[in-house]
Amino acid sequence: MIDPLAEVVTLLQPSARYAKLVVGAGPWHIRRSDAGQPFYCVVLEGACCLAIDRRETIELRSGDFILVPEAYGVAMSSIIPAPADSSEAVPVALGGGEFRIGDQDGPPDLKMLAGHCSFGSPDADLLVSLLPQVVHVRGEPRLATLVQLVRDEFRDRRPAREVILTHLLEVLLIEALRSTAATPFSPGLVRGLADERLAVTLRRMHESPTKTWTVAQLAKEAALSRSAFFERFSRAVGLAPMAYLLNWRMALAKNMLRRSEVGIAEIAQRVGYGSASAFSVAFTRHVGLPPARYARQQSVPAP
C-alpha cells in the first residue's frame, strides 16, 4: 500500500541541524525572526511557552517535540511570566554549543534543544504546503524514547556525540511528521491521513496519479457527498482536493525532470496528462518555466 506521508518525506529530504542546547532560569522572554526556516524544539527538562507567527501560545513540557516547517516569527518565554516592562532576554554563550537565558545564577528550570531543520529538496516550498503548519507531539512513547536518547547524549558527552545527535534528531523529525498527534487546528497531510475517509482518497491519489480524477470520483472513494467531501478535505488538508493533486503531480514531475529519468512525454503520462503539450502548459503555469528548461537548470545525477 502506498504511504503518502512517506512519499512526501522522502522527496522533502529532511535533515535536522543541531543548533544549540538552551538552559533557562527565572522569568524571561525572547523573540526571533526565522525568515521561513523550518524550526524545531525538543524540551528535555522543565517547561516553557512558545508562540509561532503570532498564533496561540503553546505550553511545552518535558518530552514535547514541536516542528514548524515554515516559521517566520518565534516567541518563547518562561512559564512564570516576565514583568511587562522587562527587556528581552539575551542568550549568554556557555561554550560547547550551550546557551543560558534568564537568571544567570542558580540551577536552571528548563533545558531544551532548539534549532533549524534542512529540507534538501529544491521543491521544499511545494512539499511544505502539504504538511501541517505546526506539528506538536506529546505523550508518544516512541518520541519519549528518542528524547531520552538525545538527553543521554548531551549528558554523557561521549565520542562522536555530534554525529549521533544529528541522526537522532533526524529520526525525531520524521517520527514527528508521521505522528497523527499533530496539533488539531493545523491543517495538512497528517491531519488528512488521520481522517479515515480522507485517508482513502489521499492514498488513491498517490497510488494512481495518472488517473483523471474528479472531485466526484474522489468523493465516491471517501463514501461522501461531493460537497461534504470537498469541505472536509479542504478543512483538514488546507488545500482543495484538485489543488493537492496538482501539487503532488508537479512535485513528482519536478523530481523526475531533475533526475533525467525519462523524456517529457513519459513524465506527462506518469503524472496524469494525456499529452506532452498539455503537461508543458500546466507545468509552465505552475512552476514558471517550461519542463525542458527546468530540467536543464535543475538536473542532478541519479543516485
Side-chain angles (χ1 to χ4, degrees), residues 63 65 137 140-148 171-172 175-176 179:
F65 182 91
V137 183
E140 290 286 331
R142 289 171 62 88
L143 265 295
T145 299
L146 289 168
V147 169
Q148 181 61 50
V171 175
L172 262 175
E175 187 69 26
S179 171

Side-chain angles (χ1 to χ4, degrees), residues 8 11-12 70 121-131 239 243-244 246-254 258 286-287:
V8 171
L11 283 185
L12 195 55
E70 194 173 32
S121 172
D123 305 328
D125 290 345
L126 174 64
L127 294 166
V128 163
S129 71
L130 308 180
L131 299 175
L239 293 170
Y244 178 90
L246 175 62
N247 276 11
W248 179 239
R249 284 172 168 169
M250 291 298 108
L252 291 174
K254 290 170 79 174
R258 284 195 306 275
H286 192 81
V287 178

Side-chain angles (χ1 to χ4, degrees), residues 53-90:
D53 300 335
R54 301 187 183 277
R55 296 189 184 95
E56 182 179 347
T57 299
I58 301 170
E59 182 178 314
L60 300 180
R61 307 171 191 165
S62 180
D64 282 12
F65 182 91
I66 192 159
L67 168 69
V68 184
E70 194 173 32
Y72 288 90
V74 178
M76 303 190 78
S77 62
S78 54
I79 289 294
I80 300 174
D85 59 350
S86 63
S87 59
E88 186 172 311
V90 177

Side-chain angles (χ1 to χ4, degrees), residues 17-300:
R17 305 196 310 266
Y18 158 61
K20 54 192 174 185
L21 172 68
V22 179
V23 298
W28 55 270
H29 66 95
I30 191 168
R31 292 180 182 273
R32 59 178 295 165
S33 174
D34 282 341
Q37 295 187 71
F39 169 83
Y40 72 88
C41 175
V42 53
V43 179
L44 304 177
E45 296 177 13
C48 65
C49 294
L50 172 73
I52 299 291
D53 300 335
R54 301 187 183 277
R55 296 189 184 95
E56 182 179 347
T57 299
I58 301 170
E59 182 178 314
L60 300 180
R61 307 171 191 165
S62 180
D64 282 12
F65 182 91
I66 192 159
L67 168 69
V68 184
E70 194 173 32
Y72 288 90
V74 178
M76 303 190 78
S77 62
S78 54
I79 289 294
I80 300 174
D85 59 350
S86 63
S87 59
E88 186 172 311
V90 177
V92 176
L94 302 179
E98 298 184 18
F99 293 79
R100 182 163 180 137
I101 50 178
D103 294 343
Q104 297 300 305
D105 300 317
D109 50 33
L110 169 72
K111 288 185 180 181
M112 65 180 177
L113 283 174
H116 293 105
C117 310
S118 296
F119 294 146
S121 172
D123 305 328
D125 290 345
L126 174 64
L127 294 166
V128 163
S129 71
L130 308 180
L131 299 175
Q133 295 173 330
V134 177
V135 178
H136 179 201
V137 183
R138 169 179 291 164
E140 290 286 331
R142 289 171 62 88
L143 265 295
T145 299
L146 289 168
V147 169
Q148 181 61 50
L149 290 171
V150 171
R151 185 186 294 117
D152 291 345
E153 282 298 321
F154 263 98
R155 184 185 62 239
D156 297 343
R157 297 182 177 275
R158 291 178 290 181
R161 184 180 76 153
E162 298 303 320
V163 175
I164 298 297
L165 280 171
T166 296
H167 289 297
L168 283 174
L169 288 168
E170 288 177 11
V171 175
L172 262 175
L173 169 62
I174 296 170
E175 187 69 26
L177 280 174
R178 74 179 188 174
S179 171
T180 56
T183 308
F185 58 77
S186 180
L189 178 58
V190 174
R191 185 173 168 187
L193 290 171
D195 185 317
E196 291 184 3
R197 298 282 185 91
L198 300 182
V200 172
T201 63
L202 285 163
R203 291 192 180 98
R204 293 291 289 125
M205 281 190 273
H206 280 252
E207 286 171 354
S208 305
T210 60
K211 186 171 180 177
T212 54
W213 291 107
T214 64
V215 173
Q217 289 172 329
L218 291 169
K220 185 177 180 180
E221 294 283 344
L224 294 168
S225 69
R226 186 183 184 281
S227 58
F229 166 72
F230 184 90
E231 180 182 356
R232 189 161 161 174
F233 189 102
S234 301
R235 184 174 62 250
V237 179
L239 293 170
M242 291 297 101
Y244 178 90
L245 181 60
L246 175 62
N247 276 11
W248 179 239
R249 284 172 168 169
M250 291 298 108
L252 291 174
K254 290 170 79 174
N255 188 54
M256 286 185 277
L257 286 165
R258 284 195 306 275
R259 297 183 179 282
S260 302
E261 294 176 341
V262 292
I264 291 176
E266 178 66 20
I267 292 173
Q269 292 182 356
R270 290 189 185 186
V271 296
Y273 288 87
S275 68
S277 60
F279 165 68
S280 294
V281 169
F283 187 92
T284 302
R285 183 184 301 119
H286 192 81
V287 178
L289 289 174
R293 187 184 304 173
Y294 178 86
R296 288 194 297 271
Q297 291 185 1
Q298 303 290 332
S299 181
V300 297

